């Protein structure tokens, strides 16, 4: 298995019993099994009522709002109001 904690990071090879932690609000990460054995992963995280996740390779954004999930093309996202400066 190889793990890349950021899109431009060097991959890390892992073995049985290894642990990888990915901090929130950081660049995307990816995990791929390039071996011949089955890769078993235990994935733990939060499921907030409102959340947003980007999938840059697919050019998609996932919006989660109170149980409803909406996957949209990033090209279709429009800014309705710019943030105000304080």
């Amino acid at each position: 298995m190889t793990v890349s904690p950021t899109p431009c990071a060097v991959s890390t090879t892992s073995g049985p019993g290894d642990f990888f932690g990915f901090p929130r609000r950081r660049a995307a990460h990816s995990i791929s099994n390039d071996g011949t054995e089955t890769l078993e992963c235990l994935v733990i995280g939060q499921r907030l009522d409102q959340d947003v996740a980007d999938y840059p390779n697919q050019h998609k954004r996932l919006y989660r709002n109170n149980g409803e999930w909406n996957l949209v093309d990033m090209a279709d996202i429009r800014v309705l109001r710019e943030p105000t400066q304080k």
Side-chain angles (χ1 to χ4, degrees):
M1 173 180 79
T2 58
V3 176
S4 296
T6 62
C8 58
V10 175
S11 294
T12 301
T13 301
S14 70
D18 283 352
F19 168 84
F20 294 95
F22 300 101
R24 64 185 182 159
R25 297 187 183 103
R26 295 295 197 292
H29 53 272
S30 73
I31 299 172
S32 62
N33 184 5
D34 57 1
T36 57
E37 296 183 33
T38 300
L39 170 64
E40 294 183 39
C41 293
L42 173 63
V43 179
I44 300 171
Q46 277 185 303
R47 289 287 186 231
L48 302 173
D49 285 339
Q50 286 83 31
D51 202 2
V52 177
D54 286 339
Y55 298 90
N57 290 347
Q58 290 81 26
H59 308 287
K60 304 279 186 187
R61 178 170 286 168
L62 176 70
Y63 294 97
R64 188 170 54 242
N65 186 18
N66 293 319
E68 181 176 299
W69 295 39
N70 294 289
L71 187 65
V72 300
D73 290 320
M74 287 185 172
D76 294 334
I77 297 171
R78 301 290 179 257
V79 176
L80 299 179
R81 181 177 61 183
E82 294 292 333
T84 57
Q85 299 291 330
K86 290 188 177 187

